Amino acid sequence: MTLPNFFIVGAPKCGTTALSVYLGAHPNAFMCVPKEPAYFALDFPTIRVAKKWSEYETLFRDADETHLAVGEASTIYMHSEVAVAELHRQFPSARLLVMLRNPFDLVVSLHGQRLHDCDENVEDFARAWALCEERRAGSKIPARCRERKTLLYDEAALLGLQLQRLLGVFPRSQVRWWFHEDFSADPARVYREALSFLGLAFDGRSEFPVVNARTRAVSQVLAPLVQRPPKSVVRLAMYAKKRMGIRRLGVLNALRQASFVPSRPPAIPDGLLREMSAHFAPDIRLLESITGRDLGHWLGSCA
């Protein structure tokens, strides 16, 4: 059984999906499906797709000796307080890829993703941010939310703290990080650097299409039905596929595409921006000290 030797561990909404798609298309790389099994995030139990080791192993059953780099991309691993240690216990020689982003943009984008996934039901970002303390205490949790900690936007973007924790477990030589702004400006360079880090030869890729662009639901009432269809519907679809001898019907994907439209991130009100700046400033300075990168422009934009 071929098992992973690299992990894209986070952070969410930092370009990890695009990077995993680009890497997964390389002839000598293998990325599991689903992208985020979240197996090692034991403190986020309800979002773990694979809960048993046998289930996790199965995700990589199609990898073979031609795949020099085998990986997965569970972005919750950075946020999790235990996942990185669990990863090291199982795969001490693994290489970790990290994507970093301005926390202000990250949390707004993450809020949009949580709405898309039907874990969030508060459409106004400012109100959702204000609910972090109550949600941390276990109240004001949407009925459809799988894991309340995924709604703690003030914690999810503490990337300095998360990277510090990661480097306390894995040696720096096994970790490589990139910034979202650099990835957006020059995806080809970041892609080639990722290949080099993983020991893969450049495959000549010249196209880097946008992946996982922000969308919003046409209807918040209908969105949960296509994002998380009732089990009876899923069973019926599986039965139909089996009888027809096909792997997928395509109906659900078509409904999902019709149910979401492109959207722009909302602007953050000045007062909230100042509050968020005070919250994130110490962590940004920590991230500067770890990465050696001047991130003053992140805070400068909030002045």
Side-chain angles (χ1 to χ4, degrees):
M1 176 71 71
T2 301
L3 290 172
N5 54 22
F6 82 91
F7 300 84
I8 302 175
V9 295
K13 312 312 297 179
C14 294
T16 57
T17 300
L19 183 59
S20 68
V21 168
Y22 302 156
L23 290 175
H26 190 284
N28 299 120
F30 177 91
M31 297 295 298
C32 79
V33 177
K35 171 204 170 203
E36 306 196 37
Y39 175 77
F40 296 98
L42 303 181
D43 49 346
F44 286 79
T46 55
I47 67 169
R48 296 171 70 220
V49 176
K51 294 180 171 62
K52 298 178 181 179
W53 180 249
S54 58
E55 296 172 343
Y56 187 69
E57 284 183 314
T58 300
L59 299 177
F60 304 94
R61 63 187 172 190
D62 292 331
D64 58 41
E65 65 276 2
T66 67
H67 297 118
L68 306 179
V70 177
E72 56 127 313
S74 298
T75 58
I76 202 66
Y77 289 162
M78 282 273 285
H79 188 177
S80 167
E81 294 184 6
V82 303
V84 172
E86 288 295 317
L87 270 177
H88 187 267
R89 184 177 63 81
Q90 189 67 43
F91 300 109
S93 61
R95 294 179 183 271
L96 305 189
L97 286 68
V98 177
M99 302 295 286
L100 304 166
R101 188 179 187 180
N102 178 325
F104 309 99
D105 294 337
L106 190 161
V107 294
V108 170
S109 184
L110 185 61
H111 171 253
Q113 185 67 52
R114 296 293 177 249
L115 283 169
H116 181 280
D117 295 341
C118 301
D119 288 309
E120 176 66 271
N121 64 354
V122 177
E123 295 189 50
D124 178 62
F125 170 72
R127 184 170 164 238
W129 172 270
L131 286 172
C132 284
E133 279 302 323
E134 289 179 85
R135 287 172 164 177
R136 202 174 346 264
S139 62
K140 303 295 179 65
I141 309 299
R144 293 183 179 273
C145 180
R146 292 167 294 175
E147 172 55 65
R148 65 180 176 85
K149 285 184 286 187
T150 63
L151 302 181
L152 303 181
Y153 306 107
D154 55 349
E155 291 183 6
L158 294 175
L159 303 186
L161 177 64
Q162 294 171 16
L163 187 57
Q164 182 183 59
R165 178 168 58 215
L166 186 156
L167 292 172
V169 178
F170 277 85
R172 191 175 287 239
S173 61
Q174 291 174 225
V175 181
R176 184 69 191 267
W177 55 76
W178 294 271
F179 287 85
H180 180 268
E181 56 204 73
D182 298 334
F183 188 42
S184 296
D186 192 354
R189 178 179 67 81
V190 172
Y191 176 66
R192 294 188 74 146
E193 290 176 357
L195 291 181
S196 177
F197 179 62
L198 296 175
L200 298 175
F202 179 56
D203 59 347
R205 171 182 278 273
S206 59
E207 299 295 326
F208 297 89
V210 174
V211 178
N212 199 27
R214 182 185 177 97
T215 61
R216 64 171 178 81
V218 174
S219 168
Q220 287 296 328
V221 175
L222 296 178
L225 298 178
V226 296
Q227 287 296 80
R228 299 186 202 162
K231 291 182 180 180
S232 58
V233 174
V234 174
R235 286 195 296 268
L236 181 61
M238 291 176 65
Y239 174 76
K241 287 186 287 186
K242 184 176 180 180
R243 289 295 302 268
M244 296 168 67
I246 59 176
R247 295 186 64 183
R248 61 179 60 190
L249 294 172
V251 176
L252 188 56
N253 283 339
L255 287 173
R256 283 172 175 163
Q257 290 177 6
S259 299
F260 293 88
V261 295
S263 68
R264 290 187 175 185
I268 305 176
D270 289 344
L272 176 57
L273 198 57
R274 288 191 292 271
E275 177 186 333
M276 293 171 65
S277 179
H279 175 76
F280 286 123
D283 190 76
I284 290 173
R285 297 308 182 199
L286 175 59
L287 190 60
E288 283 185 323
S289 69
I290 295 172
T291 63
R293 170 107 166 207
D294 182 359
L295 301 174
H297 61 291
W298 287 1
L299 291 168
S301 63
C302 304

